[in-house]
């Protein structure tokens, strides 16, 4: 690709990528609240108007950046082995949390959402609820396959599996590591009736 | 007690209570970040200097207010029935979270701690770690009593029991209610080997 492409679509895509990447870097460095659209524009080498053309607010930009990370993780795996699938999925989250840029950015986003109701609602709608639903679909399949109890409340199952991640993320008393991933999935699944 | 007590200790105690009560009210209304020492002083009917005499910063004041709430909850119960004890303890937390003043204040405090490393460390040291230790002592007792598996990692057990609370607190997709308390404790205990 030439340095200055004459193709506007390609130039747009380059700007978009630069803006999302600057958002990821600055949100980790400064935190969501201290990060300004001006700073993102400067770091991405674009004008503020370019950002506002695509994103109405800093919150929506931040959520789009996270949306891309979540997309990179792909669909909830289904190999038939529910324990292995959950470990892959939760290990992916743990890797995000331990990434030196993405981890602080995720904590900062969840932190800011506690003071900004509109940001929280958008975070729940665009990222959290769809992921919880994907997990529940996988667990429902495991119920059909006779791998976990049919009677179990799947919201409780999601809390058993994912609650520890958020607990350790926002109140980091104990580490998010591989032993955590294996331990939490094994004990949670035993709780909801899996024979491991 | 007369309206204007001549006893300085008694007057101090009145100021202290008024300051903590104003902190609780304002932190719920404004959030931890927007709340100022000036506003607390005005609401409590004291001078700013009175607050700074006892509390070096807004963070320490907020944590002291929470320390009092935690004290009100008392010791981790031990009736010999580990499931009942955990339900009492977690139900107490759920009641705090559903209190119209205390719930928003707790979410705001956890949110602010995600951007303020010193506040987070003080929150972990003064409140979170001691409570986790108390829970682990109770679980160790249950291990000795043969009520849960001896081999289980107690940090994982704490995550199974408490993670769901923090998950639903900071990402409120599903409600914190009595069905949650009973479900999470029963499934978590089954996971770590209890026969219910």
């Amino acid at each position: 690709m030439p340095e200055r492409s004459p193709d506007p679509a390609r130039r747009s895509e380059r700007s978009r990528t630069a803006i999302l990447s600057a958002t990821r870097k600055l949100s980790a460095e400064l935190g969501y609240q201290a990060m300004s659209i001006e700073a993102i524009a400067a770091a991405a080498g674009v004008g503020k108007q370019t950002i506002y053309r695509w994103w109405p607010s800093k919150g929506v930009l931040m959520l789009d950046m996270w949306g891309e990370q979540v997309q990179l993780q792909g669909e909830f795996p289904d190999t038939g082995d529910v324990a292995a699938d959950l470990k892959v999925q939760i290990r992916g989250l743990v890797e995000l949390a331990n990434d030196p840029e993405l981890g602080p950015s995720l904590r900062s986003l969840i932190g800011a959402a506690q003071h900004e109701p509109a940001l929280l609602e958008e975070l729940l709608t665009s990222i959290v609820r769809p992921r919880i639903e994907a997990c529940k679909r996988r667990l429902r399949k495991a119920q059909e396959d006779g791998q976990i109890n049919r009677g179990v409340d799947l919201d409780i199952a999601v809390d058993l599996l994912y609650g520890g991640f958020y607990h350790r993320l926002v109140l980091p008393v104990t580490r998010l590591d591989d032993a955590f991933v294996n331990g939490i999935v094994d004990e949670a699944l035993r709780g909801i009736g899996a024979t491991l």
Side-chain angles (χ1 to χ4, degrees), chain A:
Chain A
M1 200 191 294
E3 180 60 22
R4 282 166 184 277
S5 162
D7 177 346
R10 215 180 274 176
R11 212 166 49 220
S12 281
E13 185 51 33
R14 267 217 305 274
S15 298
R16 201 178 155 278
T17 305
I19 292 164
L20 290 173
S21 154
T23 303
R24 191 174 72 190
K25 192 162 172 293
L26 290 178
S27 64
E29 275 175 31
L30 306 173
Y32 169 79
Q33 266 150 330
M35 174 178 75
S36 66
I37 292 282
E38 284 81 355
I40 297 169
V46 303
K48 265 175 65 173
Q49 286 320 311
T50 306
I51 298 185
Y52 283 120
R53 199 187 317 147
W54 290 317
W55 294 280
S57 69
K58 187 171 71 168
V60 177
L61 174 50
M62 186 80 171
L63 291 171
D64 260 21
M65 185 276 279
W66 271 101
E68 295 229 326
Q69 295 302 321
V70 169
Q71 289 257 315
L72 286 174
Q73 288 214 303
E75 290 297 301
F76 210 102
D78 181 4
T79 64
D81 178 344
V82 68
D85 292 348
L86 286 164
K87 285 175 188 174
V88 163
Q89 225 284 331
I90 294 174
R91 192 172 293 118
L93 260 185
V94 164
E95 278 164 14
L96 289 184
N98 288 329
D99 179 287
E101 270 187 15
L102 292 169
S105 154
L106 179 59
R107 292 182 48 220
S108 168
L109 175 63
I110 292 176
Q114 305 311 307
H115 321 281
E116 290 184 35
L119 180 64
L120 178 62
E121 191 47 49
E122 193 53 37
L123 171 63
L124 298 185
T125 302
S126 67
I127 299 183
V128 179
R129 280 197 193 96
R131 287 176 70 91
I132 289 181
E133 283 312 312
C135 178
K136 284 162 79 173
R137 276 197 298 277
R138 182 66 191 84
L139 291 173
R140 223 169 273 129
K141 169 87 174 345
Q143 286 179 318
E144 286 158 14
D145 294 347
Q147 293 172 340
I148 62 175
N149 288 342
R150 277 175 191 263
V152 81
D153 175 339
L154 293 183
D155 287 312
I156 295 285
V158 167
D159 283 324
L160 290 171
L161 289 161
Y162 285 86
F165 172 78
Y166 290 102
H167 189 205
R168 294 191 187 206
L169 183 75
V170 299
L171 298 172
V173 167
T174 36
R175 285 198 306 166
L176 281 164
D177 57 16
D178 231 49
F180 163 77
V181 175
N182 295 324
I184 202 91
V185 172
D186 288 345
E187 308 294 2
L189 284 181
R190 219 189 308 274
I192 56 179
T195 314
L196 300 173

